[in-house]
Amino acid sequence: MNYFSSDFKLGILGGGQLGKMLLAETRKFDIQTYVLDPSNDAPCKIGCNTFVQGSLMDFETVYNFGKQVDVLTFEIELVNLEALEKLEAEGKKVYPSPKTLKLIQNKGIQKNFYVQNNIPTANFKRFDSLENLKSTIVNQQSEITFPFVWKCTEFGYDGNGVKIVRTTADLENLPNIECIAEEMVPFYNELAVIVVRSVSGEVATYPVVEMEFHPEANQVEYVICPARIDDKIAQKATEIALQVSKAFHHVGILAVEMFQTVEGEILVNEVAPRPHNSGHHTIEASYTSQFENHLRAILNLPLGNCESKVAGIMVNLVGEEGFSGNVIYENIEKIMAIEGVTPHIYGKKETRPFRKMGHVTIVNDNMTEARKIAEEVKNSIRVISVQSQFKN
């Protein structure tokens, strides 16, 4: 099939910022794009050929959407697996495959997969409900010790569905759903490696990145590339990411998030089988962005160069605490006056505390200078709401 024929149709499940940035790459080629998202205000709506509003979890909606396209991919894991399985059984190309997604969608299944495939990960216990977890702790039926990390197994994102539990009181007000209790790792760094794998099996990796997190929101504030780590640690992280990629048999982008322990070990935290926040800097800093390489991979085209042209740092733009409503990007003109700074606004109409609203990339030949500018950017731009105009 000629993927650059004018009748070729690519379907994307999910219409958020990841899809929007993916659509920017499809414009380089003659690809018709179809997007399915539950929100009529989805960021992707302005950039695709055909937008369909509908539930990503509804079988009929996903199935009927998939029937319209030649290749189906997604920018969010929370989609109806049964519909994808039926589409694939009928010959539709779905990348990554439903089989891969099934192993990743539920964090409990994902963690078990690491154990079964000898992939290093933090110790954990899986529970079918919060009440079961509480009972286990009260009756001392497990080796769970405080503090530990509570994670819901499904529907968690951007720091939601994760909580550090230091006492039994911290379990109050958590949802009574399937969850895991994970050992708190004394880590030195949080790292990530993006692996890209094509339909034919060609594999490439981006340089290891280092992530700095917001202490309250549990969200990434900065992504730093290359990571400021020893070459041996970088090599070990890359090798483990490749091991994970091979085990999942994924096609497209796979972001592998890891902990570097104080002893220098690498433990896999979790993965995302799609373009990922830890790879946004690649748009400006790499020869080929993660979004273009995701397209190349799922269309079985030669993969692009994953090397960096220059040091890159990404700053996440999230809603300020205390503001909800129609969004304003305060001081954006100040950061755009700085050399090497590129803002990406996702197009979400309303802000709320810690909601991802955009990101800014800083590129510079000097990593120290790039990090300094990133701090300046972080301290300058504010994501607030219209109401703030009337507070002075």
Side-chain angles (χ1 to χ4, degrees):
M1 178 184 292
N2 180 1
Y3 288 122
F4 303 120
S5 63
S6 59
D7 61 348
F8 176 79
K9 299 178 181 67
L10 173 68
I12 304 171
L13 294 170
Q17 64 264 21
L18 299 176
K20 183 181 180 185
M21 287 182 272
L22 187 63
L23 289 173
E25 298 297 336
T26 64
R27 293 183 179 221
K28 293 179 180 178
F29 314 119
D30 190 15
I31 297 176
Q32 289 191 52
T33 51
Y34 285 56
V35 172
L36 173 67
D37 193 88
S39 172
N40 196 44
D41 293 325
C44 274
K45 188 175 182 181
I46 65 169
C48 60
N49 295 94
T50 301
F51 179 80
V52 179
Q53 185 178 6
S55 171
L56 298 171
M57 297 302 295
D58 180 70
F59 176 91
E60 291 297 333
T61 301
V62 173
Y63 176 73
N64 290 330
F65 175 82
K67 293 287 285 184
Q68 302 177 65
V69 301
D70 298 296
V71 172
L72 190 61
T73 191
F74 46 83
E75 59 112 60
I76 184 170
E77 295 94 314
L78 302 177
V79 297
N80 189 289
L81 274 175
E82 290 73 21
L84 297 186
E85 288 170 339
K86 184 173 182 181
L87 286 164
E88 188 176 64
E90 293 175 355
K92 191 67 62 178
K93 294 176 180 177
V94 182
Y95 302 122
S97 72
K99 184 178 179 181
T100 298
L101 185 56
K102 201 170 203 174
L103 294 169
I104 294 172
Q105 204 176 59
N106 180 293
K107 288 181 181 178
I109 295 173
Q110 186 183 143
K111 291 283 286 187
N112 284 336
F113 181 81
Y114 299 146
V115 174
Q116 294 160 6
N117 287 272
N118 298 313
I119 293 166
T121 192
N123 294 327
F124 72 100
K125 295 289 182 182
R126 188 176 173 188
F127 299 90
D128 59 10
S129 67
L130 181 70
E131 290 304 318
N132 191 1
L133 168 59
K134 287 180 178 178
S135 174
T136 300
I137 292 173
V138 169
N139 297 316
Q140 298 182 334
Q141 296 172 332
S142 172
E143 297 177 357
I144 297 172
T145 57
F146 296 108
F148 63 86
V149 181
W150 172 90
K151 295 180 180 179
C152 63
T153 57
E154 293 184 321
F155 306 111
Y157 68 96
D158 292 349
N160 293 294
V162 179
K163 184 178 177 64
I164 295 175
V165 177
R166 303 185 187 280
T167 68
T168 52
D170 292 330
L171 293 170
E172 298 304 317
N173 301 318
L174 292 177
N176 188 31
I177 56 176
E178 184 185 54
C179 57
I180 59 175
E182 186 176 89
E183 177 186 355
M184 272 196 74
V185 176
F187 64 87
Y188 175 74
N189 254 334
E190 294 202 44
L191 308 173
V193 177
I194 289 180
V195 184
V196 56
R197 179 184 295 270
S198 74
V199 175
S200 60
E202 184 185 0
V203 180
T205 60
Y206 285 89
V208 184
V209 302
E210 172 188 351
M211 297 180 289
E212 293 183 11
F213 280 73
H214 188 287
E216 294 176 23
N218 195 34
Q219 287 180 327
V220 176
E221 278 194 304
Y222 301 98
V223 172
I224 300 169
C225 183
R228 298 165 296 184
I229 55 175
D230 184 87
D231 288 345
K232 289 183 179 179
I233 295 294
Q235 182 180 351
K236 185 186 293 187
T238 300
E239 288 172 354
I240 289 175
L242 286 168
Q243 179 189 355
V244 173
S245 169
K246 184 177 181 180
F248 277 121
H249 298 291
H250 76 99
V251 171
I253 290 289
L254 183 75
V256 185
E257 296 183 73
M258 297 174 262
F259 298 118
Q260 175 194 349
T261 71
V262 292
E263 292 84 15
E265 294 302 308
I266 299 294
L267 302 177
V268 174
N269 180 22
E270 60 186 42
V271 300
R274 50 165 172 76
H276 189 256
N277 192 254
S278 62
H280 289 350
H281 66 283
T282 62
I283 298 173
E284 281 80 29
S286 304
Y287 286 98
T288 311
S289 77
Q290 65 164 338
F291 300 97
E292 180 177 335
N293 257 336
H294 183 72
L295 283 177
R296 286 172 175 247
I298 65 175
L299 301 182
N300 205 25
L301 297 167
L303 299 181
N305 186 348
C306 293
E307 292 181 10
S308 297
K309 295 181 286 187
V310 65
I313 297 180
M314 185 210 70
V315 179
N316 267 326
L317 297 182
V318 301
E320 290 274 337
E321 289 186 86
F323 294 97
S324 296
N326 294 335
V327 66
I328 292 176
Y329 298 90
E330 189 177 68
N331 298 327
I332 192 169
E333 73 282 357
K334 292 183 180 179
I335 69 166
M336 291 181 71
I338 306 171
E339 185 175 351
V341 171
T342 304
H344 293 258
I345 304 301
Y346 295 157
K348 299 174 183 178
K349 306 301 181 187
E350 294 192 353
T351 184
R352 58 177 179 265
F354 302 120
R355 187 184 191 193
K356 285 185 183 176
M357 302 297 291
H359 74 265
V360 180
T361 305
I362 297 93
V363 295
N364 198 290
D365 290 329
N366 184 289
M367 171 58 78
T368 302
E369 182 64 18
R371 182 64 181 81
K372 180 181 175 182
I373 295 171
E375 194 76 31
E376 181 181 354
V377 167
K378 182 71 177 176
N379 293 332
S380 297
I381 190 167
R382 297 176 72 225
V383 183
I384 58 177
S385 58
V386 173
Q387 290 89 330
S388 67
Q389 293 181 335
F390 308 105
K391 288 190 175 183
N392 295 328

